[in-house]
Amino acid sequence: MIEVASVTLPFLLDSIRMELSRLNLVLSDVQQCLMGVHRQGKNLLLSDELEVNESLIRLEIESAGAPKDLVARIYDVMDLVKVVVDDFSPMRKQLLLWSDHSQFEMGGGETYELLKWFYANNFTFLGYEEFKPVLKTSNKENKTTSKTPGKTAGKIEAMQVIASSRLGLARPNKSADALPVNISRDTIFLEKLPVRSRVHRPAYLDAVTICERQGNTIKRVCRFIGLFTANVYNQDPKDIPVVREKMDRIFAARDVVASSHKGRELNRIIEILPREELFFATSEDLRSLVDQIFSLQERRVVRVLCRQDSYFVNCIVYVPKDIYSTTLRVEMQAVLVRAFNAFDVEFYTQFTESALTRTHFVMRANQICDVDLDAIEAEITELTRTWADGLQQKIVEKYEQKQASRLTAIYRDVFSLGYQADFSLVDAAEDIDFLEQLSVERPLTLKFYETSVNGKIETHFRIFHLGAALPLSDVIPILENLGAKTIEQHPYELHRDEQEIWVHDFLLDLVNVPKSGLQSLRGIFELSLIHI
């Protein structure tokens, strides 16, 4: 049992629950009471007429596995929440200052519009910090510049945080302290940081970096750290600054009018894309992604689209909807993790009226990898192949085109799940020859074969019978009289059109193996069984 008494703080309950979940503790009950409290010395007054200012949280957990420092961890989370709440207004004030500065000193445009959009409750502010460039000069550069008076020998090698500027989670010893900053050629740069938030939502932190330049020289840099609010994921991309600019470039590159048929299709593709791709992908990456999705044209194919940045690998995988399953998703994830040497995977699957299902994998990686996407796509394609698809391929390889088409139409879905679990595609393709021999005039065919199991050769005898299952009490004595002891027997029921077919597979122990081989017994067994 955990009880927390605190002043009323936004995100507090969610943040505590996140911490317990991170520790794999199971919550059985959660209760919260919000109160209006007036305190004077040791006395207090509870009243419905007072503004809510305190809360009492009660959580019941399964004590097994609870760390000894659980109380300290909860205090730590409460401290993070309090810092964020205390610095929330100063962080929004900084955004307003940068917004005004971008409008009047930095040319305004989409940067100004995007900062206004963030301020309109589209970004949860969790941290803020400013940086200054650090100029360093090597001995070699000193010698060179000494020969060229008037030229500066320094170059920017790092960005140093301004200690007095840090707010929220960016304060010293907080969860987003001392994270490296990336500088882009653009004035404003959006990215996802490799640290999960411990406040509000357990998502990776989003960052907005603003860089003010004078010519090629960096003057000021700031970074806002937080999370995009939930309503962002439902907004029309055309209403989001910077994103709409990327969209305009996509239409311009294709020379397409948004109101045309192709333009509406491009709009539809962009509207349902993961918001992370719209925010974090460059204009070139986003245009390439949209072009590849557009080229799918609802075809029943597997497609793997990938974008890598400093910390994450983003893979969008399309597979036919009718074969998608949790098992397939886990297998695809394993392929991607191995290929990119990634860890800590998140996935989001989207089902629509489309013939394809889309899964967006976001994976943490230590470095950008040079991978063969075609090979990854081929491996995932192989995972999506059903048993029937594999059988069709074997039939195509074995028979000429006209015959293959006929046999595929008949036998693609004939073999039962039990048969598929016990026998290979090669076995099935061979068995089709025996199934083709069955008719009303010839309701029985036989197959002798040997197989190796753990280095030991086993003898099998398979009966294909058109009609009902054969009684074992009739078959086994016949086999014994013919010199074959039955060790095991497995029956499989097949349906070809409206015909019932039974396959009986026997594991035999032959008293005497003929010198001429097993096939010499086939005719004797078949004639004997048919006549008997």
Side-chain angles (χ1 to χ4, degrees):
M1 178 77 69
I2 301 172
E3 291 186 341
V4 179
S6 168
V7 296
T8 303
L9 295 173
F11 314 141
L12 180 59
L13 177 58
D14 292 338
S15 302
I16 293 176
R17 292 174 65 173
M18 280 165 43
E19 186 68 17
L20 297 178
S21 178
R22 195 166 67 91
L23 296 171
N24 296 318
L25 298 177
V26 179
L27 277 168
S28 57
D29 187 37
V30 179
Q31 297 180 12
Q32 182 179 26
C33 179
L34 300 177
M35 304 171 290
V37 181
H38 175 70
R39 295 181 180 272
Q40 187 173 10
K42 295 183 179 180
N43 301 318
L44 63 85
L45 173 67
L46 300 177
S47 174
D48 294 337
E49 298 179 358
L50 295 174
E51 183 179 354
V52 171
N53 58 356
E54 294 189 17
S55 67
L56 180 63
I57 299 172
R58 178 174 176 173
L59 307 110
E60 294 184 8
I61 63 170
E62 296 183 5
S63 58
K68 295 181 179 179
D69 62 343
L70 179 58
V71 173
R73 289 172 181 265
I74 293 177
Y75 271 120
D76 188 35
V77 170
M78 293 175 67
D79 179 59
L80 293 177
V81 173
K82 189 175 187 309
V83 166
V84 167
V85 173
D86 289 345
D87 289 348
F88 187 75
S89 293
M91 287 188 284
R92 283 174 62 86
K93 179 182 177 181
Q94 288 296 333
L95 184 70
L96 283 177
L97 292 173
W98 275 95
S99 176
D100 289 344
H101 188 72
S102 70
Q103 182 183 14
F104 298 110
E105 303 293 336
M106 298 166 61
E110 286 293 277
T111 298
Y112 168 67
E113 294 296 329
L114 184 63
L115 295 180
K116 283 204 312 180
W117 181 81
F118 282 134
Y119 190 80
N121 296 321
N122 289 306
F123 194 78
T124 301
F125 297 89
L126 301 179
Y128 172 81
E129 53 194 341
E130 294 181 15
F131 302 85
K132 61 182 179 182
V134 177
L135 298 178
K136 292 187 178 181
T137 307
S138 66
N139 293 330
K140 183 177 180 180
E141 286 173 327
N142 280 334
K143 294 177 181 179
T144 303
T145 53
S146 64
K147 298 177 182 179
T148 312
K151 287 194 175 182
T152 303
K155 66 177 182 178
I156 297 175
E157 292 195 357
M159 299 300 297
Q160 182 179 358
V161 66
I162 300 174
S164 60
S165 69
R166 294 189 287 184
L167 298 171
L169 299 184
R171 286 185 178 275
N173 302 318
K174 303 305 177 187
S175 59
D177 175 32
L179 293 176
V181 63
N182 291 320
I183 304 299
S184 168
R185 291 174 298 175
D186 299 324
T187 302
I188 194 163
F189 176 60
L190 307 180
E191 66 175 333
K192 195 171 283 291
L193 299 177
V195 174
R196 287 189 179 275
S197 172
R198 295 180 67 191
V199 176
H200 187 31
R201 295 202 318 266
Y204 284 106
L205 292 167
D206 300 312
V208 182
T209 304
I210 306 170
C211 181
E212 182 185 4
R213 286 181 170 88
Q214 185 172 14
N216 294 326
T217 304
I218 296 176
K219 290 179 60 180
R220 300 171 62 206
V221 175
C222 78
R223 178 168 65 184
F224 292 92
I225 298 172
L227 297 168
F228 290 112
T229 56
N231 63 300
V232 169
Y233 296 89
N234 298 316
Q235 285 190 31
D236 189 331
K238 294 190 292 293
D239 296 333
I240 303 175
V242 173
V243 172
R244 64 191 176 206
E245 187 177 40
K246 295 178 183 179
M247 292 178 63
D248 291 341
R249 292 176 185 173
I250 292 173
F251 285 100
R254 278 182 162 269
D255 194 19
V256 173
V257 178
S259 58
S260 66
H261 173 73
K262 184 178 289 187
R264 290 194 297 271
E265 180 63 19
L266 290 175
N267 261 323
R268 186 191 68 82
I269 291 172
I270 295 171
E271 285 175 359
I272 63 176
L273 273 177
R275 287 298 180 264
E276 288 82 359
E277 296 305 306
L278 297 182
F279 284 120
F280 305 130
T282 64
S283 296
E284 293 76 16
D285 288 342
L286 186 59
R287 183 171 68 246
S288 175
L289 177 62
V290 171
D291 286 345
Q292 292 180 80
I293 296 173
F294 183 82
S295 67
L296 289 176
Q297 294 294 331
E298 295 293 321
R299 288 180 296 143
R300 200 174 177 279
V301 296
V302 172
R303 188 67 76 241
V304 179
L305 310 176
C306 176
R307 179 182 64 83
Q308 300 185 65
D309 56 34
S310 301
Y311 307 112
F312 297 92
V313 178
N314 298 268
C315 285
I316 297 178
V317 182
Y318 288 91
V319 298
K321 182 193 295 184
D322 58 331
I323 61 175
Y324 181 86
S325 65
T326 300
T327 300
L328 176 59
R329 194 269 305 163
V330 171
E331 291 174 341
M332 293 191 301
Q333 180 174 307
V335 170
L336 296 173
V337 167
R338 184 174 65 254
F340 291 96
N341 192 26
F343 57 95
D344 198 13
V345 185
E346 295 179 345
F347 69 92
Y348 311 92
T349 300
Q350 182 194 50
F351 295 92
T352 64
E353 70 279 0
S354 169
L356 299 173
T357 293
R358 183 189 78 195
T359 304
H360 181 210
F361 294 96
V362 181
M363 301 172 287
R364 277 278 288 116
N366 289 321
Q367 60 185 3
I368 294 178
C369 301
D370 184 15
V371 298
D372 186 347
L373 275 183
D374 290 337
I376 294 175
E377 196 169 278
E379 188 172 355
I380 292 179
T381 299
E382 192 62 31
L383 293 174
T384 64
R385 286 165 60 91
T386 63
W387 200 88
D389 292 334
L391 177 61
Q392 180 176 345
Q393 182 63 34
K394 291 296 180 184
I395 293 174
V396 170
E397 293 172 357
K398 185 175 181 181
Y399 300 93
E400 58 90 22
Q401 184 177 357
K402 186 176 181 180
Q403 179 77 340
S405 298
R406 184 185 71 82
L407 294 176
T408 297
I410 296 173
Y411 292 102
R412 177 182 169 87
D413 299 314
V414 159
F415 295 94
S416 64
L417 293 177
Y419 182 99
Q420 296 176 25
D422 292 345
F423 300 109
S424 69
L425 294 170
V426 174
D427 292 328
E430 291 177 354
D431 286 352
I432 288 176
D433 290 336
F434 293 90
L435 294 171
E436 278 287 282
Q437 299 174 33
L438 294 176
S439 65
V440 176
E441 293 75 21
R442 188 183 182 184
L444 193 73
T445 57
L446 309 176
K447 175 184 177 181
F448 276 103
Y449 68 98
E450 290 180 329
T451 184
S452 176
V453 179
N454 297 326
K456 181 182 178 182
I457 300 300
E458 293 184 348
T459 301
H460 285 258
F461 171 58
R462 193 173 299 175
I463 302 176
F464 301 86
H465 183 249
L466 180 63
L470 296 172
L472 294 182
S473 58
D474 292 346
V475 179
I476 291 177
I478 298 173
L479 296 177
E480 290 179 347
N481 286 328
L482 293 174
K485 294 181 180 179
T486 301
I487 308 302
E488 293 179 4
Q489 186 275 155
H490 299 280
Y492 306 93
E493 183 180 8
L494 313 182
H495 292 277
R496 184 179 64 185
D497 296 330
E498 296 182 358
Q499 294 177 320
E500 180 182 359
I501 299 175
W502 280 86
V503 179
H504 297 271
D505 191 80
F506 295 86
L507 172 60
L508 302 180
D509 181 14
L510 296 180
V511 177
N512 293 301
V513 179
K515 295 180 181 180
S516 55
L518 291 176
Q519 289 304 318
S520 64
L521 293 177
R522 182 176 183 274
I524 298 173
F525 269 70
E526 183 175 2
L527 286 173
S528 300
L529 285 168
I530 289 175
H531 285 295
I532 295 172

